[in-house]
């Protein structure tokens, strides 16, 4: 009997220790143009993403052979975390370009606390000049770069996923 009580108490204590507190993000509203220029809050290099993405992120390297076999190949880096994916292209001249990605997990966060699961109201609070969208999808396009972000909200007004495309 005492053994059972000790086991139940131990299970209760350890299950409570696993719960995580939600992270509090200090929102400082910013212009949409600043977000588009630096959406992750760091440079868009392979090293920066390796540091910022959560533990357990897998890196897949794909080689792209050039037409001339004498030259070294280009490399495509696929960063995969659960269902999310970020793709970076690295040329033989060591130039790196963020191609795009799809984020489904709240562990991957953009600047100003933009992440999966946040409400539409909190999303709008992150920007100074974002126009209100009527539907459940918000599209933000960079005026000078070939860059586009799509934010998809569910029926309850929570950010379900977001995708981005275009190079830096």
């Amino acid at each position: 009997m005492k053994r059972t009580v000790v086991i139940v108490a131990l299970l209760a204590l350890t299950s409570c220790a696993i719960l995580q507190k939600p992270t509090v993000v200090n929102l400082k509203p910013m212009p949409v143009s600043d977000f588009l220029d630096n959406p992750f809050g760091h440079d868009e290099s392979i090293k920066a993403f390796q540091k910022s993405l959560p533990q357990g992120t897998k890196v897949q390297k794909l080689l792209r052979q050039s037409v001339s076999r004498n030259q070294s190949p280009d490399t495509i880096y696929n960063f995969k975390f659960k269902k999310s994916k970020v793709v970076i292209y690295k040329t033989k001249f060591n130039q790196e370009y963020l191609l795009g990605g799809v984020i489904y997990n709240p562990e991957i966060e953009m600047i100003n606390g933009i992440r999966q699961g946040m409400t539409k109201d909190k999303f709008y609070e992150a920007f100074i000049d974002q126009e209100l969208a009527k539907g459940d999808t918000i599209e933000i396009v960079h005026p000078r770069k070939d860059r586009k972000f799509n934010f998809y909200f569910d029926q309850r007004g929570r950010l379900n996923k977001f995708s981005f495309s275009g190079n830096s």
Side-chain angles (χ1 to χ4, degrees):
M1 181 71 177
K2 289 183 182 180
R3 181 181 263 174
T4 309
V5 171
V6 170
I7 291 173
V8 170
L10 189 60
L11 285 173
L13 289 174
T14 57
S15 64
C16 293
I18 294 174
L19 294 176
Q20 297 177 357
K21 295 178 183 176
T23 56
V24 178
V25 178
N26 240 349
L27 289 179
K28 295 177 185 169
M30 64 189 319
V32 173
S33 60
D34 289 353
F35 169 78
L36 290 170
D37 288 333
N38 191 11
F40 290 97
H42 56 74
D43 63 334
E44 296 170 355
S45 67
I46 293 167
K47 285 185 180 181
F49 276 102
Q50 286 173 333
K51 288 179 186 175
S52 70
L53 291 175
Q55 277 189 329
T57 301
K58 296 176 184 172
V59 181
Q60 178 186 29
K61 294 180 186 178
L62 304 172
L63 295 178
R64 183 178 176 275
Q65 191 65 36
S66 61
V67 179
S68 172
R69 297 208 184 262
N70 299 343
Q71 296 178 349
S72 60
D74 295 343
T75 309
I76 298 172
Y77 287 81
N78 288 327
F79 293 93
K80 296 180 179 182
F81 180 75
K82 298 181 181 178
K83 292 166 64 176
S84 301
K85 182 177 179 180
V86 176
V87 181
I88 297 179
Y89 186 82
K90 183 176 180 180
T91 68
K92 58 187 166 256
F93 305 112
N94 288 329
Q95 296 170 321
E96 298 174 1
Y97 301 100
L98 178 65
L99 294 181
V102 178
I103 308 297
Y104 288 96
N105 305 95
E107 294 90 352
I108 300 174
E109 187 174 303
M110 299 184 97
I111 196 166
N112 242 3
I114 296 172
R115 64 174 170 234
Q116 187 264 342
M118 74 184 306
T119 63
K120 206 177 212 181
D121 294 335
K122 288 285 184 191
F123 177 82
Y124 283 119
E125 287 176 14
F127 300 106
I128 296 172
D129 55 353
Q130 176 61 36
E131 296 178 13
L132 295 175
K134 294 179 182 175
D136 58 355
T137 302
I138 298 172
E139 183 177 278
I140 302 176
V141 180
H142 199 290
R144 293 176 306 281
K145 295 181 184 177
D146 185 25
R147 178 174 277 189
K148 180 169 83 170
F149 286 84
N150 290 316
F151 299 91
Y152 303 95
F153 291 87
D154 61 13
Q155 314 297 351
R156 300 174 306 171
R158 296 216 173 262
L159 184 57
N160 187 29
K161 70 174 182 175
F162 55 93
S163 63
F164 53 95
S165 62
N167 55 16
S168 48

